[in-house]
C-alpha cells in the first residue's frame, strides 16, 4: 500500500472507531489492531492521538460538506435549498451508523486545554455557518447583510440542536420541528 493510501486507511479506521465509540474510549492499540498495522506505522503518519483526531475531524467534515453541497445544489427551488440542510440531516439520521455530530461528541470529550482539536472544530462550525450564509445570499439576494446573517445564524442553530436532539431522543421529531421553525422564519422574508 502506498504511503498516502496507508494514511487514508488509518484515518478511515480511526474515524469509524472515534465516531462509533468516542475519542476517549478508543485507544491507539485498538486503532492499530483494526487497521492491521504496526504501532511504528501509525506514529510515522501521526505524531499523536490528537493529530489523528484532527485528521478524523477533517475527513468527516470534508465528506459531510461535499455531500451536503451536492444535496442542496441538486434542489432547484429556493425554499428547498434553504431548508435542504434539514432534509439532508433526516437522510443522515436514517443511516444505520448515525451517532450524532462527530465534532460535538469530540468537543464534549476533550478538555479546554486541547486548543488544536477545539480550533479545528470551531473552524468546521464556522465553515458550515459561512456555507449557509452563501446559500441564503444566493437564494435571497435582496436581503441585507444583517438579514442574511440573522437567517443563517437561525438555521445553523436549529440544525445544531436538531442533530443533537435527534441523537439524544433516537427520533427524527427534532429534525421535523427544526425544519418547521426554519420554514416559518424563511416565509417571513
Amino acid at each position: 500500500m502506498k504511503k498516502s493510501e496507508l494514511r487514508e486507511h488509518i484515518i478511515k479506521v480511526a474515524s469509524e472507531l472515534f465516531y462509533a465509540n468516542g475519542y476517549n474510549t478508543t485507544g491507539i492499540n485498538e486503532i492499530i489492531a483494526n487497521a492491521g498495522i504496526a504501532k511504528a506505522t501509525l506514529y510515522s503518519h501521526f505524531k499523536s492521538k490528537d493529530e489523528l483526531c484532527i485528521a478524523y475531524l477533517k475527513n468527516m467534515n470534508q465528506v459531510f460538506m461535499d455531500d451536503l453541497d451536492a444535496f442542496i445544489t441538486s434542489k432547484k427551488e429556493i425554499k428547498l435549498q434553504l431548508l435542504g440542510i434539514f432534509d439532508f440531516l433526516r437522510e443522515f439520521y436514517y443511516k444505520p451508523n448515525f451517532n450524532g455530530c462527530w465534532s460535538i461528541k469530540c468537543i464534549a470529550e476533550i478538555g479546554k486545554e486541547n486548543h488544536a482539536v477545539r480550533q479545528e472544530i470551531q473552524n468546521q462550525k464556522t465553515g458550515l455557518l459561512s456555507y449557509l450564509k452563501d446559500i441564503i445570499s444566493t437564494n435571497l439576494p435582496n436581503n441585507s447583510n444583517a438579514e442574511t446573517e440573522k437567517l443563517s445564524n437561525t438555521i445553523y442553530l436549529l440544525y445544531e440542536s436538531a442533530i443533537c436532539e435527534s441523537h439524544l431522543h433516537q427520533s427524527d421529531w427534532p429534525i421535523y420541528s427544526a425544519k418547521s421553525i426554519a420554514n416559518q422564519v424563511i416565509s417571513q422574508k
Side-chain angles (χ1 to χ4, degrees), residues 144-162:
S144 69
N145 287 339
E147 290 172 317
T148 297
E149 187 160 345
K150 182 178 178 184
L151 183 55
S152 61
N153 289 347
T154 300
I155 291 173
Y156 170 81
L157 290 173
L158 288 168
Y159 167 80
E160 289 294 329
S161 65

Side-chain angles (χ1 to χ4, degrees), residues 25-186:
T25 58
T26 301
I28 290 295
N29 290 335
E30 184 179 7
I31 295 166
I32 290 166
N34 279 278
I37 59 171
K39 189 176 267 193
T41 302
L42 177 80
Y43 285 112
S44 72
H45 291 277
F46 303 97
K47 293 179 178 127
S48 66
K49 187 177 175 187
D50 283 353
E51 191 176 301
L52 181 55
C53 180
I54 290 170
Y56 150 68
L57 291 167
K58 286 181 178 183
N59 178 64
M60 295 290 283
N61 189 62
Q62 187 64 55
V63 170
F64 169 77
M65 291 304 295
D66 290 347
D67 290 350
L68 175 63
D69 187 56
F71 184 88
I72 287 179
T73 57
S74 74
K75 308 299 178 199
K76 301 303 174 205
E77 293 180 41
I78 290 173
K79 200 168 232 184
L80 293 178
Q81 283 197 355
L82 295 173
L83 296 173
I85 194 166
F86 301 103
D87 297 327
F88 182 78
L89 176 55
R90 192 175 59 248
E91 287 187 11
F92 180 41
Y93 172 79
Y94 282 109
K95 289 185 178 179
N97 65 341
F98 176 76
N99 203 15
C101 176
W102 58 91
S103 57
I104 296 299
K105 287 175 51 120
C106 191
I107 199 94
E109 292 188 61
I110 65 165
K112 285 187 176 184
E113 67 283 349
N114 193 327
H115 300 291
V117 173
R118 182 174 295 279
Q119 186 62 54
E120 178 58 34
I121 293 169
Q122 286 175 342
N123 290 344
Q124 289 181 13
K125 294 301 184 178
T126 300
L128 176 58
L129 190 52
S130 178
Y131 176 79
L132 293 172
K133 284 180 188 175
D134 290 345
I135 293 296
I136 292 165
S137 293
T138 300
N139 285 288
L140 299 173
N142 295 329
N143 272 8
S144 69
N145 287 339
E147 290 172 317
T148 297
E149 187 160 345
K150 182 178 178 184
L151 183 55
S152 61
N153 289 347
T154 300
I155 291 173
Y156 170 81
L157 290 173
L158 288 168
Y159 167 80
E160 289 294 329
S161 65
I163 193 168
C164 291
E165 294 303 312
S166 62
H167 176 61
L168 172 68
H169 293 284
Q170 295 296 292
S171 176
D172 61 359
W173 70 260
I175 301 167
Y176 284 104
S177 295
K179 181 179 178 182
S180 176
I181 295 167
N183 187 36
Q184 290 172 4
V185 172
I186 291 168

